[in-house]
Amino acid sequence: MTHNTDRNFSLFERARAVIPGGVNSPVRAFKAVGGTPRFIGRAQGAYMWDANGTRYIDYIGSWGPMILGHGHPAVLEAVQKAAVDGLSFGAPTEREVELAEAILELMPSMDMVRLVSSGTEAGMSAIRLARGATGRSKILKFEGCYHGHADALLVKAGSGLATFGNATSAGVPPEVVQHTLVLEYNNVVQLEEAFALHGRDLACLMMEPIAGNMNFVRASTEFTRRCRELCTEYGALLVYDEVMTGFRVALGGAQSVYAQQIPGFAPDITVMGKVIGGGMPLAAFGGRREVMEQLAPLGAVYQAGTLSGNPVATACGLATLHEIRKPGFYEALASSTRALVSGLEAAAADEGVPFCADSEGGMFGFFLLPELPQNYAEVMRTDGQRFNRLFHGLLERGVYLAPALYEAGFVSAAHTQDDIAATVAAAREVFKTL
Ligand SMILES: *Cc1c(COP(=O)(O)O)cnc(C)c1O
């Protein structure tokens, strides 16, 4: 297709004139992989069609929310009905109570939950709550974990354990990140040292239990156990950012997966987003009652939102939760995801391409590396040029993966065995050319 006939290209040109970089969230611009982003016209089930009418098998699923696939009839019906009854009231509704009850029933570590509109907002509020509840300022996070774009969380590791992080964005003053300590993921020795030095000043440790913003990296059982134990010992709150993993890797989130390995395991605060809104702007944070009761209007930690608990978004979330609670949902989803991952592994092995992959529930990651990485530095050893050739090779063959090597992938309940087989066949062709 020439640029003259490529509607994606002409839309990108128009977009760049009026929106910085042509996109409303940076990764959509294809900067890492090069080329023209696809402007999506519509989607149904496991497929999306771009502005030229080209169909793609979608493994992004709006970066996680679309666990049922696009256009699920029960979800659409709930959203349409809710819209007719009113788009927003700025007053409480029964549906918010229903959604809160449904979330708490599925996530036993939470006694109370507050609804917000984005994962960023939920993560930022969780930090404020942890600081308010403990009366402490410092927070700990891990390199490669993303918790939204709040100032205090846009931080990379400083020069040593005794020093705090450096901002990863312009516009974030050093004073704002001076309380954020950044450590290597899965590094128990560093974790112990950091707590010995700073433990009594830490309001919280915030982590992705399965990191999905450095592709797909599991926290080891030992690392998870020590995070929990050290937080308890030093009086810091353990904040699980399950914006991506919540209702994605299992009905009880990643914490339910770790609770099987570590009896009694639970975080103090959980941050959720993506799947709980089913594609509408909705996120949440929740935790133990005595912590949550620190929030306004009960307590002194302020937090608010004009569109929080929006009636259409909560209808979408409730309808989505209703579907994923059906018996066998996660077994089927996990088995599709495993079929994809093992198919890709086998194809790569046949073609002699170094490759490894992992998955949990409907979330997966793969690496052009001989073994699974354990932290951000290891993830970044991937040959970026090679990843980009794989990405574009698949895109040309109608398979839409995340346009960056540090992003996880998502399978939905709408992906069929035929979709998976077609994806693996396309990957096999591309592997031959890598
Ligand atoms: C997507 C994501 C966020 C941010 O959520 P937004 O809704 O994009 O603000 C936070 N944490 C994790 C783990 C995420 O994957």
Side-chain angles (χ1 to χ4, degrees), residues 25 63 117-123 145-149 206-208 210 212-213 241-245 271 273-274 282-283 410:
S25 199
W63 301 91
S117 301
S118 74
T120 292
E121 207 187 336
C145 285
Y146 178 67
H147 305 294
H149 62 87
M206 189 173 207
M207 67 186 291
E208 287 183 72
I210 297 173
N213 289 284
D241 182 348
E242 296 229 39
V243 171
M244 187 181 285
T245 52
V271 182
K274 299 194 169 115
L282 182 73
F410 305 101

Side-chain angles (χ1 to χ4, degrees), residues 108-410:
S109 71
M110 295 191 222
D111 301 323
M112 297 183 107
V113 63
R114 177 152 288 173
L115 304 180
V116 296
S117 301
S118 74
T120 292
E121 207 187 336
M124 172 189 98
S125 306
I127 297 278
R128 186 181 305 138
L129 175 61
R131 284 172 161 164
T134 57
R136 300 173 178 183
S137 301
K138 298 198 186 312
I139 60 178
L140 193 163
K141 78 176 284 289
F142 299 102
E143 187 104 59
C145 285
Y146 178 67
H147 305 294
H149 62 87
D151 282 355
L153 294 165
L154 290 180
V155 186
K156 65 173 186 286
S159 52
L161 269 185
T163 63
F164 282 72
N166 300 316
T168 53
S169 166
V172 178
E175 296 80 5
V176 174
V177 296
Q178 67 181 354
H179 299 299
T180 308
L181 182 60
V182 185
L183 304 182
E184 190 173 81
Y185 200 67
N186 275 327
N187 186 332
V188 175
V189 173
Q190 233 187 49
L191 183 74
E192 307 261 2
E193 286 172 10
F195 268 88
L197 274 173
H198 305 291
R200 298 269 165 230
D201 300 323
L202 284 175
C204 66
L205 178 169
M206 189 173 207
M207 67 186 291
E208 287 183 72
I210 297 173
N213 289 284
M214 48 172 154
N215 202 322
F216 182 105
V217 181
R218 287 171 195 273
S220 72
T221 310
E222 178 55 13
F223 184 65
T224 302
R225 186 201 320 274
R226 285 309 281 152
C227 285
R228 177 63 277 178
E229 288 170 353
L230 287 163
C231 281
T232 305
E233 186 180 334
Y234 286 88
L237 298 178
L238 178 62
V239 180
Y240 255 35
D241 182 348
E242 296 229 39
V243 171
M244 187 181 285
T245 52
F247 301 142
R248 166 54 68 179
V249 301
L251 190 54
Q255 53 194 265
S256 72
V257 176
Y258 287 105
Q260 283 168 12
Q261 298 155 20
I262 308 168
F265 175 84
D268 298 303
I269 298 178
T270 300
V271 182
M272 304 193 78
K274 299 194 169 115
V275 172
I276 67 169
M280 296 285 293
L282 182 73
F285 63 104
R288 286 185 286 111
R289 184 171 304 276
E290 69 273 19
V291 175
M292 292 303 288
E293 285 184 345
Q294 306 287 321
L295 278 177
L298 291 179
V301 178
Y302 189 69
Q303 188 278 329
T306 301
L307 297 177
S308 290
N310 175 269
V312 185
T314 46
C316 188
L318 266 173
T320 303
L321 291 195
H322 182 76
E323 296 301 316
I324 65 178
R325 295 179 75 159
K326 290 185 174 165
F329 180 87
Y330 284 91
E331 286 78 358
L333 183 67
S335 121
S336 297
T337 313
R338 277 195 301 267
L340 173 69
V341 160
S342 56
L344 293 175
E345 278 173 334
D350 289 349
E351 305 307 329
V353 174
F355 187 91
C356 59
D358 196 2
S359 72
E360 189 70 43
M363 176 173 165
F364 67 91
F366 66 81
F367 302 91
L368 297 170
L369 294 171
E371 56 190 80
L372 290 173
Q374 297 301 308
N375 58 48
Y376 184 70
E378 290 179 15
V379 170
M380 293 324 253
R381 279 185 206 145
T382 302
D383 178 344
Q385 295 300 323
R386 217 168 190 206
F387 173 85
N388 293 351
R389 288 199 297 276
L390 175 60
F391 168 81
H392 280 294
L394 285 169
L395 194 66
E396 281 162 21
R397 289 166 178 80
V399 176
Y400 197 126
L401 286 171
L405 64 87
Y406 46 80
E407 305 285 357
F410 305 101

